[in-house]
Amino acid sequence: MNHTLEDFPLTLAAGITFTVLMGLGSLLFFVMTRRKQLRQKAFIRYLEGSLEASIRSQEAEAQRIAADLHEDIGSLLSATRMSFSLVTRYLDNCPESLQSAEQTKRLLEEAVKNVRRITKEIQPPALEKLGLVIVLQELVEKLQQSHPDVCIELECRGEEHRLDRSIEFTLFRVAQELLQNSLKHAEASRIEVLLLYQPKRVFFTLSDNGMGFDWSKVQQQTTPMGLKNIESRLNVVGGDVVFETSPGQGTHTVVDIPLHTS
């Protein structure tokens, strides 16, 4: 088909119109994609904020439960055990009565022991009185006794000093979570834990020779709650965590918390 000069303005206009429409389409696509990304980021921030708020609420509730267990249930069980010891003095020498009394006494002692154990796990009294290092040493010793086939080593470096209560409590909870992960899921035979004090920050690292995992795949999971809880706990105190791992190569975890000194 032959085009005359009179057709040129129409062709030019059509080309310009097509180019403008293509540009508007690209711009519209960009705007829609950007809005979708912003909505996703806003939703993620909402979830993270909700999780952090939930963790604060959980910690407050845990402290209340620990206090109730210690002051109410623990005291009541201790008083019941003492009262029962007095009652047994008036029992006859019937073997059945003595056996029943002895069994009841053992149950009461077991209940008192369990309440004390649960209270310590929820809110270790030594954490408030003696500090993070002592509590971590007790935690490692306890885990070493219950897992004698695993070598667990704890090292503390730097000038040890008391940290803000919320930081010490967060580090204790994170240490619990990481150690349990290494023992239960990684099937590690050796775990090395380091607590490093510096003037303006504190580091906590844990290295194991376990199974490791694919971090990229874990991030794609909808609810990697264990690791997400660690991140959210640290966000509350302004800290960060980095996981260095790969399948079959163990895991090295670094926790970094800045200290706000006056």
Side-chain angles (χ1 to χ4, degrees), residues 23-39:
L24 288 174
S26 300
L27 179 61
L28 181 60
F29 176 77
F30 172 79
V31 170
M32 292 178 65
T33 302
R34 182 59 176 167
R35 289 181 62 183
K36 182 178 179 181
Q37 292 174 344
L38 291 174
R39 285 197 300 269

Side-chain angles (χ1 to χ4, degrees), residues 83-110:
S83 177
F84 182 76
S85 297
L86 295 174
V87 170
T88 55
R89 297 179 183 179
Y90 301 98
L91 291 175
D92 54 36
N93 291 325
C94 174
E96 289 80 6
S97 298
L98 294 176
Q99 183 179 359
S100 178
E102 186 62 29
Q103 183 180 4
T104 303
K105 181 181 178 181
R106 286 198 301 269
L107 290 173
L108 280 171
E109 290 176 348
E110 186 69 19

Side-chain angles (χ1 to χ4, degrees), residues 3-222:
H3 295 280
T4 63
L5 290 176
E6 288 81 2
D7 296 328
F8 180 74
L10 294 176
T11 304
L12 180 62
I16 294 174
T17 302
F18 177 76
T19 303
V20 170
L21 289 175
M22 287 291 293
L24 288 174
S26 300
L27 179 61
L28 181 60
F29 176 77
F30 172 79
V31 170
M32 292 178 65
T33 302
R34 182 59 176 167
R35 289 181 62 183
K36 182 178 179 181
Q37 292 174 344
L38 291 174
R39 285 197 300 269
Q40 290 175 339
K41 289 181 179 180
F43 183 64
I44 292 172
R45 287 196 299 270
Y46 168 75
L47 290 178
E48 291 176 345
S50 298
L51 186 54
E52 291 172 21
S54 175
I55 287 175
R56 290 191 183 96
S57 177
Q58 289 173 12
E59 299 297 1
E61 185 67 9
Q63 294 175 29
R64 185 191 66 79
I65 292 173
D68 287 346
L69 281 173
H70 175 69
E71 296 172 6
D72 296 339
I73 307 301
S75 299
L76 181 60
L77 284 173
S78 296
T80 303
R81 183 178 57 179
M82 293 178 61
S83 177
F84 182 76
S85 297
L86 295 174
V87 170
T88 55
R89 297 179 183 179
Y90 301 98
L91 291 175
D92 54 36
N93 291 325
C94 174
E96 289 80 6
S97 298
L98 294 176
Q99 183 179 359
S100 178
E102 186 62 29
Q103 183 180 4
T104 303
K105 181 181 178 181
R106 286 198 301 269
L107 290 173
L108 280 171
E109 290 176 348
E110 186 69 19
V112 171
K113 185 190 301 183
N114 285 339
V115 168
R116 289 174 178 171
R117 175 183 58 80
I118 294 170
T119 302
K120 287 182 179 180
E121 289 178 356
I122 296 176
Q123 185 74 29
L127 186 59
E128 192 77 30
K129 297 178 181 179
L130 304 177
L132 181 63
V133 173
I134 299 298
V135 174
L136 286 179
Q137 289 173 344
E138 291 180 351
L139 175 63
V140 168
E141 289 174 4
K142 178 182 176 182
L143 292 174
Q144 184 67 83
Q145 291 174 2
S146 59
H147 298 80
D149 55 330
V150 180
C151 177
I152 308 176
E153 293 185 353
L154 169 65
E155 181 181 2
C156 298
R157 298 181 188 171
E159 187 176 346
E160 178 188 336
H161 57 278
R162 294 302 302 268
L163 305 173
D164 183 84
R165 181 180 180 279
S166 61
I167 292 178
E168 289 193 340
F169 193 78
T170 296
L171 280 172
F172 172 71
R173 287 289 187 227
V174 169
Q176 276 185 317
E177 186 87 32
L178 291 174
L179 283 165
Q180 290 297 336
N181 285 346
S182 294
L183 291 169
K184 290 185 177 181
H185 305 300
E187 300 180 4
S189 62
R190 182 176 183 82
I191 304 172
E192 297 177 355
V193 181
L194 170 66
L195 180 64
L196 174 61
Y197 288 90
Q198 291 190 350
K200 295 185 178 181
R201 57 202 328 109
V202 60
F203 291 94
F204 176 87
T205 69
L206 185 146
S207 302
D208 68 47
N209 64 346
M211 298 168 56
F213 56 90
D214 190 331
W215 178 236
S216 61
K217 290 184 178 179
V218 171
Q219 287 180 306
Q220 294 172 5
Q221 294 177 4
T222 54

